[in-house]
Coordinates of all heavy atoms in Angstrom, one line a residue:
P217 N 24.6 74.6 -5.6 CA 25.9 74.7 -4.9 C 27.0 74.0 -5.7 O 27.5 73.0 -5.3 CB 25.6 73.9 -3.6 CG 24.6 72.9 -4.0 CD 23.7 73.5 -5.0
H218 N 27.4 74.6 -6.8 CA 28.4 74.0 -7.6 C 29.7 73.9 -6.8 O 30.5 73.0 -7.1 CB 28.7 74.9 -8.9 CG 27.5 75.0 -9.8 ND1 27.2 73.9 -10.6 CD2 26.7 76.0 -10.1 CE1 26.1 74.3 -11.3 NE2 25.8 75.5 -11.0
G219 N 30.0 74.8 -5.9 CA 31.1 74.7 -5.1 C 30.8 74.2 -3.7 O 31.7 74.3 -2.8
G220 N 29.7 73.6 -3.5 CA 29.3 73.1 -2.2 C 28.4 74.1 -1.4 O 28.4 75.3 -1.7
S221 N 27.8 73.6 -0.4 CA 26.9 74.4 0.5 C 27.6 74.5 1.9 O 27.9 73.5 2.5 CB 25.5 73.8 0.6 OG 24.8 74.3 1.7
Y222 N 27.7 75.7 2.4 CA 28.3 75.9 3.7 C 27.4 75.3 4.8 O 27.9 74.9 5.8 CB 28.6 77.4 4.0 CG 27.4 78.3 4.1 CD1 26.7 78.4 5.4 CD2 26.9 79.0 3.0 CE1 25.7 79.3 5.5 CE2 25.8 79.8 3.1 CZ 25.2 80.0 4.4 OH 24.1 80.8 4.5
V223 N 26.1 75.1 4.5 CA 25.3 74.5 5.5 C 25.5 73.0 5.5 O 25.6 72.4 6.6 CB 23.8 74.7 5.2 CG1 22.9 73.9 6.0 CG2 23.4 76.2 5.3
A224 N 25.8 72.4 4.3 CA 26.1 71.0 4.3 C 27.4 70.7 5.0 O 27.6 69.5 5.5 CB 26.2 70.5 2.8
G225 N 28.3 71.6 5.2 CA 29.6 71.4 5.8 C 29.6 71.5 7.3 O 30.6 71.2 7.9
N226 N 28.4 71.9 7.9 CA 28.5 72.0 9.4 C 28.2 70.7 10.1 O 27.7 69.7 9.5 CB 27.5 73.1 9.9 CG 26.1 72.8 9.6 OD1 25.6 71.7 9.8 ND2 25.3 73.8 9.2
R227 N 28.5 70.7 11.4 CA 28.4 69.4 12.2 C 27.0 68.9 12.3 O 26.7 67.7 12.2 CB 29.0 69.6 13.6 CG 30.5 69.9 13.6 CD 30.9 70.0 15.0 NE 32.4 70.2 15.1 CZ 33.1 70.3 16.2 NH1 32.4 70.4 17.4 NH2 34.4 70.5 16.2
I228 N 26.1 69.8 12.4 CA 24.7 69.4 12.5 C 24.2 68.7 11.3 O 23.6 67.6 11.3 CB 23.7 70.6 12.8 CG1 24.1 71.2 14.2 CG2 22.3 70.2 12.8 CD1 23.3 72.4 14.6
S229 N 24.5 69.2 10.1 CA 24.2 68.6 8.9 C 24.8 67.2 8.7 O 24.2 66.3 8.2 CB 24.6 69.5 7.7 OG 23.9 70.7 7.7
H230 N 26.0 67.1 9.1 CA 26.7 65.8 9.1 C 26.1 64.8 10.0 O 26.0 63.6 9.7 CB 28.2 65.9 9.3 CG 29.0 66.4 8.1 ND1 30.2 65.9 7.7 CD2 28.7 67.3 7.2 CE1 30.6 66.4 6.6 NE2 29.7 67.3 6.3
F231 N 25.6 65.3 11.2 CA 24.9 64.4 12.1 C 23.6 63.9 11.5 O 23.3 62.7 11.5 CB 24.7 65.1 13.4 CG 23.7 64.3 14.3 CD1 24.2 63.2 15.0 CD2 22.4 64.7 14.5 CE1 23.3 62.4 15.8 CE2 21.6 64.0 15.3 CZ 22.0 62.8 16.0
V232 N 22.9 64.8 10.9 CA 21.6 64.4 10.3 C 21.9 63.5 9.1 O 21.2 62.5 8.9 CB 20.8 65.7 9.8 CG1 19.6 65.2 9.0 CG2 20.4 66.5 10.9
A233 N 23.0 63.7 8.4 CA 23.3 62.9 7.2 C 23.7 61.5 7.7 O 23.4 60.5 7.0 CB 24.5 63.5 6.5
S234 N 24.2 61.3 8.9 CA 24.5 60.0 9.5 C 23.3 59.2 9.7 O 23.4 57.9 9.9 CB 25.4 60.2 10.7 OG 24.5 60.7 11.8
L235 N 22.1 59.8 9.8 CA 20.9 59.1 10.1 C 20.3 58.5 8.8 O 19.3 57.7 8.9 CB 19.9 60.0 10.7 CG 20.3 60.7 12.0 CD1 19.2 61.6 12.6 CD2 20.6 59.6 13.1
V236 N 20.8 58.9 7.6 CA 20.2 58.5 6.4 C 20.4 57.0 6.2 O 21.6 56.5 6.4 CB 20.9 59.2 5.2 CG1 20.4 58.6 3.8 CG2 20.5 60.7 5.3
R237 N 19.4 56.3 5.8 CA 19.5 54.8 5.6 C 19.6 54.6 4.0 O 18.6 54.8 3.3 CB 18.3 54.1 6.1 CG 18.2 54.0 7.6 CD 17.0 53.2 8.0 NE 15.7 53.9 7.7 CZ 14.5 53.4 7.8 NH1 14.4 52.1 8.1 NH2 13.4 54.1 7.5
L238 N 20.8 54.3 3.6 CA 21.0 54.1 2.2 C 20.3 52.9 1.7 O 20.2 51.9 2.4 CB 22.5 54.1 1.9 CG 23.3 55.3 2.2 CD1 24.8 55.1 2.0 CD2 22.8 56.5 1.5
P239 N 19.9 52.9 0.4 CA 19.3 51.7 -0.2 C 20.2 50.5 -0.2 O 21.5 50.6 -0.2 CB 18.9 52.1 -1.6 CG 19.8 53.2 -1.9 CD 20.1 53.9 -0.6
G240 N 19.7 49.3 -0.3 CA 20.5 48.1 -0.2 C 21.6 48.0 -1.2 O 22.7 47.6 -0.9
R241 N 21.3 48.4 -2.5 CA 22.4 48.3 -3.5 C 23.5 49.3 -3.2 O 24.7 49.0 -3.5 CB 21.8 48.5 -4.9 CG 21.2 49.9 -5.1 CD 20.5 50.0 -6.4 NE 21.3 49.6 -7.6 CZ 21.0 50.0 -8.8 NH1 20.0 50.8 -9.1 NH2 21.8 49.5 -9.8
I242 N 23.2 50.4 -2.6 CA 24.3 51.4 -2.3 C 25.0 50.9 -1.0 O 26.3 51.0 -1.0 CB 23.7 52.8 -2.0 CG1 23.1 53.3 -3.3 CG2 24.8 53.7 -1.5 CD1 24.0 53.4 -4.5
L243 N 24.4 50.2 -0.1 CA 25.0 49.7 1.1 C 26.0 48.6 0.7 O 27.1 48.5 1.2 CB 24.0 49.1 2.1 CG 23.2 50.2 2.9 CD1 22.1 49.5 3.7 CD2 24.1 51.0 3.7
R244 N 25.6 47.8 -0.3 CA 26.5 46.8 -0.8 C 27.8 47.4 -1.4 O 28.9 46.9 -1.2 CB 25.8 45.9 -1.8 CG 24.8 44.9 -1.2 CD 24.4 43.9 -2.2 NE 23.6 44.5 -3.3 CZ 22.3 44.7 -3.3 NH1 21.6 44.4 -2.3 NH2 21.7 45.2 -4.4
V245 N 27.6 48.5 -2.2 CA 28.7 49.2 -2.8 C 29.6 49.8 -1.7 O 30.9 49.6 -1.7 CB 28.2 50.3 -3.7 CG1 29.4 51.2 -4.2 CG2 27.5 49.7 -4.9
T246 N 29.0 50.5 -0.7 CA 29.9 51.1 0.3 C 30.6 50.0 1.2 O 31.7 50.3 1.6 CB 29.0 52.0 1.2 OG1 28.0 51.2 1.8 CG2 28.4 53.1 0.4
S247 N 29.9 48.9 1.3 CA 30.5 47.8 2.1 C 31.8 47.3 1.4 O 32.8 47.1 2.0 CB 29.5 46.7 2.3 OG 30.2 45.6 2.9

């Protein structure tokens, strides 16, 4: 998906993505 995936852009995919637990070093960065 060089231009992105239309499935990744839907609400369900974003809801599932919200359940992802990022690793500690990434959480520190996002924080």
Side-chain angles (χ1 to χ4, degrees):
H218 295 289
S221 164
Y222 66 88
V223 171
N226 65 41
R227 292 182 178 181
I228 295 177
S229 295
H230 278 223
F231 170 73
V232 173
S234 70
L235 304 177
V236 172
R237 290 182 293 168
L238 298 176
R241 63 189 307 203
I242 298 300
L243 286 175
R244 287 192 294 272
V245 171
T246 58
S247 175

